[in-house]
Amino acid sequence: MKAVFFDMDGVLIDSEMFYMKGTFDWISKKGFNGKLEDIYKLIGTDMKGTYNLLFEMLNKKYTISEIEEENRKYFSENPINYKKILNPFVKEILLFLKENKIKTAVCSSSPKSTIEKALKECEIFEYFDLIISADEVKESKPSPDIYLKACEVLKVLPNDCYVIEDSTIGIQAGKNANIKVIALKDKRFNQDQTKADCIIESLKEMECLKL
């Protein structure tokens, strides 16, 4: 194995519930009558996909621009504490990979500025050889574009890599790139992880990587 590609939200940081509850809070005030669980379909989407789904959830009462502004305003007024939600064993695993000269990348559907901010606040930015956002590829997950780009930039073959994901969309992206996928077990959001090559309870279980 020559490289490991990490999704960010739900893998490196336990941010999914924060975003789901926050989104549910503000769209409920805008007329959404569904349940919190209905918001889980946003998991794994890029921002364009998120806004399009919210547009439908709000019965097309607001423009995409209005939805984007409301979302930005809410999370600006209710900021996330990235360091507080860093997943267990992240630093230990990144150090382990670095010591074994295995390349690492973050391949996330979040905006690049958000990715960099999260990694810096969690003090893990310097562990990564590459950071790629969905904004930098033609098609977002479940398209394989983001993972194929990581392979291209780091000059590794898909067969020599692992993807670590949690969402159904992210797992499919890894499989579409013909990369082995490890799923960090989902216990809250009903994500279908059956297509992953391996499911782990925590990042500590690196024996799946077969170094």
Side-chain angles (χ1 to χ4, degrees):
M1 185 187 60
K2 296 180 179 178
V4 178
F5 305 147
F6 293 85
D7 177 43
M8 184 175 77
D9 295 293
V11 173
L12 295 174
I13 54 175
D14 186 19
S15 53
E16 303 287 23
M17 187 58 82
F18 174 86
Y19 287 123
M20 295 303 102
K21 286 183 175 179
T23 302
F24 178 72
D25 185 20
W26 80 255
I27 69 170
S28 294
K29 293 173 183 175
K30 291 293 181 180
F32 178 68
N33 294 316
K35 301 177 294 184
L36 173 62
E37 290 76 12
D38 297 327
I39 310 298
Y40 295 171
K41 68 179 69 175
L42 302 177
I43 292 174
T45 61
D46 63 0
M47 296 314 297
K48 181 180 178 181
T50 292
Y51 296 141
N52 285 334
L53 285 170
L54 292 178
F55 177 68
E56 297 294 334
M57 289 179 183
L58 289 167
N59 298 316
K60 304 179 182 179
K61 292 180 180 178
Y62 304 93
T63 66
I64 295 292
S65 295
E66 289 172 330
I67 289 170
E68 183 175 356
E69 176 56 26
E70 286 295 330
N71 191 68
R72 185 205 62 76
K73 181 182 177 183
Y74 179 90
F75 287 107
S76 176
E77 294 173 351
N78 300 273
I80 190 169
N81 183 335
Y82 293 112
K83 196 169 185 177
K84 188 176 180 180
I85 57 172
L86 180 68
N87 269 332
F89 306 110
V90 168
K91 287 187 177 180
E92 291 88 341
I93 292 310
L94 292 174
L95 180 60
F96 169 73
L97 294 173
K98 195 175 187 70
E99 288 174 344
N100 283 276
K101 296 181 170 50
I102 296 169
K103 296 177 181 179
T104 54
V106 176
C107 301
S108 170
S109 296
S110 295
K112 193 159 190 177
S113 59
T114 300
I115 302 170
E116 291 179 345
K117 186 174 188 294
L119 299 183
K120 288 175 181 177
E121 286 190 15
C122 291
E123 300 176 346
I124 56 174
F125 182 85
E126 68 277 7
Y127 286 100
F128 293 98
D129 299 295
L130 179 67
I131 297 169
I132 304 180
S133 164
D135 298 335
E136 300 174 82
V137 293
K138 186 176 181 180
E139 298 289 340
S140 58
K141 301 174 185 178
S143 162
D145 288 11
I146 197 166
Y147 287 122
L148 293 177
K149 183 176 177 67
C151 288
E152 179 185 353
V153 174
L154 293 180
K155 298 180 180 177
V156 293
L157 297 174
N159 285 343
D160 295 329
C161 307
Y162 277 94
V163 161
I164 302 183
E165 278 278 1
D166 65 314
S167 70
T168 305
I169 289 174
I171 291 167
Q172 188 61 57
K175 298 304 292 182
N176 287 341
N178 292 317
I179 300 175
K180 291 185 180 69
V181 178
I182 296 173
L184 185 58
K185 190 171 184 179
D186 167 50
K187 300 173 183 177
R188 295 171 292 179
F189 304 113
N190 301 315
Q191 296 295 298
D192 181 2
Q193 299 181 322
T194 56
K195 291 185 179 180
D197 296 280
C198 175
I199 299 176
I200 58 176
E201 292 285 342
S202 81
L203 292 175
K204 189 177 183 180
E205 300 176 45
M206 296 303 286
E207 64 267 18
C208 288
L209 298 186
K210 297 179 182 178
L211 294 179

